[in-house]
Amino acid sequence: MNSQQEFVLRTVEERDIKFIRLWFTDILGYLKSVMMSPSELESAFEEGVGFDGSAIEGFSRISEADTIALPDPSTFQILPFDEGAEVQTARMFCDISMPDGQPSWNDPRQVLRRQMQQAADEGFTCMIAPEIEFYLHTNSAKEGEDPKPKPTDNGGYFDQSTHNDTPKFRRQAMQALEAVGIATEFSHHETAPGQQEIDLRHAEALPMADSIMTFRYLMKQVALHNGAQATFMPKPFQQWAGSAMHSHISLFEGDSNAFHDPDAEYSLSETAKQFIAGILKHAPEITAVTNQWANSYKRIIFGDEAPTAATWGVSNRSAMVRVPTYRLTKAESRRVEVRSVDSGCNPYLSYAVLLGAGLKGIREGYELGEPAEDNISQLTRRERRAMGYVDLPSSLDQALHRLEESELMAEILGERVYEFFLRSKWREWHDYQEQITPWELRHNLNY
């Protein structure tokens, strides 16, 4: 029993926690939970909690159904919304292992941990700070009907909305995040009616992915307490912008930011340039993971400022990778912002492929081309190609073809996650293609 486990056991007893939720995610990023009583907690730390892995999307084959969830005591937090209630709960994230004690190759948390270890072996610690966008909406559809989402306000960028059905939402959201130890930097209304953004303070990649999963859960809970719903769907409204998860990434060598060079242009080190080059070179292969839904490509193709090509730029918000120019002389703030990631991704897998591609760029000394100065979102495909820009996939179909061809992505994700992800997403694409949409009926039925 280590000190962190002892702290959890003591806190559960002192705070009279009635139930503990053991959290993990499937390969597509859906949050899963096992509820247990405090009397079983010590045993869970020692032996884990067994469950049927074949029932979880992508975890185990029937012949390997026995799977173990090992709670990570460093992630223990008491959940909000139970204050004053008779039953107070806490949560811990779990690592998934096999009965022989080996880490499961199907666990998204382990996929990211492997890339973090690769970075550590090369002397780096990866720090990430996401800007998470999402919509608040109400749904007037009756049971059995298609959803009919309606934004909760009519505000725009940075507005204090003139009409708002959930005026206390952001304040309560920030309080809920603080209650579970998730540090935030900013919160504001985004460009579209009902669209919100909350920026998280930078942390190491794995704890940040845990925080994003907790963030989604809490935002949905706060929304429900305000009579609304929160959605992280990449583009829920045709007429308004999609929801991104712009991610600011930097690598540290000890206490020093490996991306900062005070003598270089934009204070951007050679390591940072190689990291950017790695992400750009492998961007088409990465896209199926960072933009995993058929709906994701509605944001990329028709969204405001969503990147359409594998480009980088300095302060250029139409580029896929942007180099912010705030505080150029401040070493710890030198970072790169990856703008292609959307809010519907699995953060463990997305950060694993971004980190893996960036590390490959450093390892093999990739060269970075000149920064894009154009508004890329306003260029035609022909113009982009004439300027030498490589287009990002414009559909899940195209993205999956690029993923299938990628040895690097198979290596980063691991064979089982890679194969299951492809099977699952091809099935989704075929289901999407198979439907007959209202648009088709409206335009073709009377032909």
Side-chain angles (χ1 to χ4, degrees):
M1 186 72 61
N2 63 39
S3 59
Q4 286 183 326
Q5 293 169 340
E6 290 173 353
F7 169 78
V8 171
L9 291 169
R10 185 169 61 251
T11 303
V12 166
E13 182 178 0
E14 291 174 354
R15 299 290 296 271
D16 194 27
I17 304 298
K18 299 296 186 184
F19 293 101
I20 295 97
R21 301 183 189 191
L22 304 182
W23 283 2
F24 56 95
T25 71
D26 67 12
I27 287 176
L28 301 184
Y30 286 107
L31 186 64
K32 305 294 180 179
S33 179
V34 175
M35 185 85 84
M36 65 182 301
S37 65
S39 61
E40 300 298 317
L41 187 53
E42 189 169 350
S43 173
F45 281 140
E46 293 176 357
E47 302 174 359
V49 175
F51 67 97
D52 179 5
S54 66
I56 304 297
E57 190 81 355
F59 259 39
S60 304
R61 295 170 288 201
I62 288 292
S63 60
E64 304 167 329
D66 291 342
T67 314
I68 296 172
L70 296 166
D72 180 349
S74 70
T75 66
F76 176 83
Q77 286 289 350
I78 297 171
L79 292 172
F81 308 114
D82 291 325
E83 189 173 345
E86 294 182 4
V87 179
Q88 193 170 34
T89 63
R91 72 97 166 94
M92 280 183 285
F93 281 94
C94 294
D95 292 313
I96 308 302
S97 73
M98 305 309 293
D100 63 2
Q102 293 297 311
S104 170
W105 284 91
N106 302 329
D107 179 9
R109 215 165 177 257
Q110 297 287 7
V111 173
L112 179 53
R113 182 179 277 116
R114 289 199 303 271
Q115 286 308 306
M116 292 179 65
Q117 186 58 54
Q118 288 270 348
D121 291 345
E122 297 177 31
F124 299 120
T125 301
C126 180
M127 306 295 289
I128 299 179
E131 303 172 359
I132 308 176
E133 297 173 350
F134 58 99
Y135 275 92
L136 290 181
H137 68 97
T138 56
N139 185 1
S140 60
K142 297 178 181 178
E143 188 173 352
E145 294 181 344
D146 289 337
K148 299 176 182 176
K150 177 185 175 184
T152 56
D153 62 63
N154 63 351
Y157 197 52
F158 281 101
D159 274 357
Q160 188 71 37
S161 305
T162 55
H163 166 74
N164 193 346
D165 293 335
T166 57
K168 297 180 181 179
F169 173 83
R170 282 204 302 276
R171 183 178 66 191
Q172 293 175 356
M174 300 284 273
Q175 290 171 338
L177 293 168
E178 183 179 348
V180 296
I182 297 177
T184 60
E185 291 191 333
F186 305 107
S187 167
H188 62 83
H189 199 287
E190 254 298 329
T191 58
Q195 192 179 35
Q196 316 294 321
E197 177 179 310
I198 298 180
D199 302 349
L200 305 189
R201 188 172 301 160
H202 72 277
E204 289 190 39
L206 183 59
M208 180 54 72
D210 289 341
S211 292
I212 291 168
M213 296 306 303
T214 305
F215 179 99
R216 291 176 180 167
Y217 170 82
L218 290 178
M219 295 307 99
K220 290 179 180 290
Q221 294 299 310
V222 177
L224 288 173
H225 278 263
N226 282 272
Q229 297 178 42
T231 178
F232 295 89
M233 181 178 179
K235 200 171 192 304
F237 297 101
Q238 177 179 334
Q239 66 271 45
W240 293 312
S243 292
M245 192 170 76
H246 302 154
S247 295
H248 297 253
I249 305 176
S250 54
L251 296 181
F252 277 73
E253 297 175 297
D255 294 330
S256 300
N257 187 344
F259 282 5
H260 182 259
D261 181 352
D263 299 322
E265 190 175 17
Y266 318 120
S267 299
L268 199 65
S269 71
E270 193 62 29
T271 297
K273 293 176 182 176
Q274 292 168 345
F275 187 88
I276 296 171
I279 289 177
L280 296 183
K281 181 171 181 177
H282 299 287
E285 308 157 47
I286 288 170
T287 301
V289 179
T290 57
N291 308 86
Q292 66 165 331
W293 306 105
N295 175 258
S296 295
Y297 299 85
K298 303 292 179 68
R299 167 186 165 255
I300 290 176
I301 301 303
F302 303 107
D304 296 339
E305 295 185 351
T308 54
T311 58
W312 79 284
V314 180
S315 298
N316 186 344
R317 295 181 185 274
S318 68
M320 177 185 167
V321 179
R322 184 177 83 95
V323 176
T325 54
Y326 310 120
R327 301 184 294 274
L328 284 177
T329 59
K330 190 176 181 180
E332 57 267 32
S333 71
R334 183 55 37 234
R335 62 197 188 275
V336 300
E337 177 190 356
V338 182
R339 296 176 61 83
S340 55
V341 188
D342 67 39
S343 292
C345 72
N346 181 331
Y348 300 100
L349 300 187
S350 294
Y351 288 155
V353 297
L354 289 171
L355 177 56
L359 289 174
K360 186 173 177 66
I362 296 171
R363 198 178 301 123
E364 299 191 5
Y366 287 4
E367 290 189 14
L368 185 64
E370 292 299 312
E373 297 179 352
D374 313 280
N375 185 344
I376 299 156
S377 60
Q378 293 184 355
L379 298 177
T380 66
R381 177 174 295 185
R382 183 185 300 173
E383 288 171 333
R384 291 195 298 269
R385 288 182 176 177
M387 300 177 80
Y389 300 150
V390 175
D391 276 346
L392 295 176
S394 59
S395 68
L396 183 59
D397 172 47
Q398 292 181 13
L400 291 174
H401 278 296
R402 297 305 301 265
L403 181 62
E404 276 187 327
E405 298 165 354
S406 175
E407 293 182 7
L408 177 62
M409 293 302 105
E411 178 186 331
I412 292 171
L413 296 174
E415 181 181 351
R416 290 191 179 182
V417 170
Y418 177 73
E419 290 295 336
F420 174 81
F421 187 89
L422 281 167
R423 285 200 307 272
S424 175
K425 289 299 167 182
W426 275 128
R427 186 168 62 246
E428 176 190 336
W429 177 250
H430 293 153
D431 289 346
Y432 178 76
Q433 281 185 305
E434 189 178 47
Q435 67 181 327
I436 307 301
T437 65
W439 188 95
E440 292 169 278
L441 293 173
R442 193 163 58 246
H443 286 81
N444 302 133
L445 187 62
N446 292 327
Y447 181 75

